[in-house]
C-alpha cells in the first residue's frame, strides 16, 4: 500500500477511496447469472476486434466483461454469425425425445401394474367359478336335497 501511495501521492488518487465516501462493502445476497443478447455480443465483438491492442482491456473493463467471454463469443460467431452468438453456454437442456421416452416408460409401467391386477382378478374369478361348480355338483348328489 505504501508503494502505491508513493507512486500516486495519495490513496485517493490511487482509486482506493473517493474523498469522504466510504466504499460499499455490502455483498448482494444472491449472485445472478448475466445473460447477453446476440446483438450485444455481435456489437461488442466487432468493437473489440476494431480496437488496437492497448484499448481492448479498457473496453472489457468498461463493459464489465472478461476475455474468456470474448473468446467464447468468437467460437460461437464462427459457428454461424448471429445464430451462433445466441447459443447458450453450458449444458443444453433435456431433449424432447427424452421427455417422451420417460412419459412412455411411466405409461408402460402403469399398464403393467393394471395388467397384474387384472390377472389376479381373473384368477380369483376362476377359483370362485370352480368352487361354485363343485358346490352345485355336490348339491345335486346330496341325499338330503332329494325328497
Amino acid at each position: 500500500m505504501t508503494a502505491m501511495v508513493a507512486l500516486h501521492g495519495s490513496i485517493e488518487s490511487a482509486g482506493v477511496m473517493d474523498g469522504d465516501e466510504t466504499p460499499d462493502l455490502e455483498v448482494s445476497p444472491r449472485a445472478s447469472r448475466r445473460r447477453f443478447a446476440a446483438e450485444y455480443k455481435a456489437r461488442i465483438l466487432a468493437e473489440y476486434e476494431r480496437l488496437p491492442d492497448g484499448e481492448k482491456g479498457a473496453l472489457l473493463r468498461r463493459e464489465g466483461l472478461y476475455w474468456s467471454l470474448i473468446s467464447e463469443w468468437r467460437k460461437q460467431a464462427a459457428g454461424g454469425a448471429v445464430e451462433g452468438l445466441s447459443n447458450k453456454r453450458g449444458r443444453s437442456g433435456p431433449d424432447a425425445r427424452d421427455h417422451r421416452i420417460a412419459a412412455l416408460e411411466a405409461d408402460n409401467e402403469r399398464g403393467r401394474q393394471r395388467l397384474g391386477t387384472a390377472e389376479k382378478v381373473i384368477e380369483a374369478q376362476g377359483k370362485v367359478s370352480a368352487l361354485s361348480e363343485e358346490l352345485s355338483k355336490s348339491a345335486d348328489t346330496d341325499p338330503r336335497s332329494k325328497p
Side-chain angles (χ1 to χ4, degrees):
M1 185 66 133
T2 57
M4 191 181 327
V5 173
L7 288 175
H8 297 286
S10 70
I11 293 177
E12 287 82 13
S13 66
V16 176
M17 295 184 67
D18 296 332
D20 294 336
E21 291 183 25
T22 58
D24 184 19
L25 300 177
E26 190 66 33
V27 177
S28 62
R30 183 175 175 104
S32 61
R33 183 175 295 261
R34 297 185 300 171
R35 302 184 196 291
F36 303 102
E39 293 79 22
Y40 174 80
K41 292 178 183 181
R43 182 177 56 82
I44 294 297
L45 192 56
E47 187 176 348
Y48 185 84
E49 296 298 333
R50 269 186 275 132
L51 291 174
D53 288 338
E55 297 177 19
K56 291 181 179 185
L59 170 69
L60 295 177
R61 285 188 297 277
R62 182 184 78 220
E63 297 293 328
L65 301 173
Y66 295 98
W67 182 85
S68 60
L69 281 175
I70 298 294
S71 175
E72 184 67 29
W73 293 352
R74 279 182 183 151
K75 290 176 190 174
Q76 290 175 353
V82 175
E83 295 83 21
L85 289 172
S86 62
N87 291 342
K88 296 181 179 178
R89 293 175 61 183
R91 252 185 345 169
S92 61
D95 189 13
R97 287 181 30 202
D98 294 338
H99 285 296
R100 180 72 177 147
I101 289 170
L104 289 173
E105 286 176 347
D107 189 39
N108 190 6
E109 183 60 32
R110 284 190 299 271
R112 287 177 196 262
Q113 290 174 351
R114 289 183 65 205
L115 177 62
T117 303
E119 287 175 342
K120 288 177 184 175
V121 168
I122 291 170
E123 183 180 340
Q125 286 176 342
K127 289 179 180 179
V128 167
S129 176
L131 182 61
S132 171
E133 191 175 311
E134 278 189 37
L135 288 175
S136 69
K137 284 182 186 177
S138 67
D140 291 340
T141 58
D142 190 13
R144 284 186 265 154
S145 62
K146 292 184 183 176

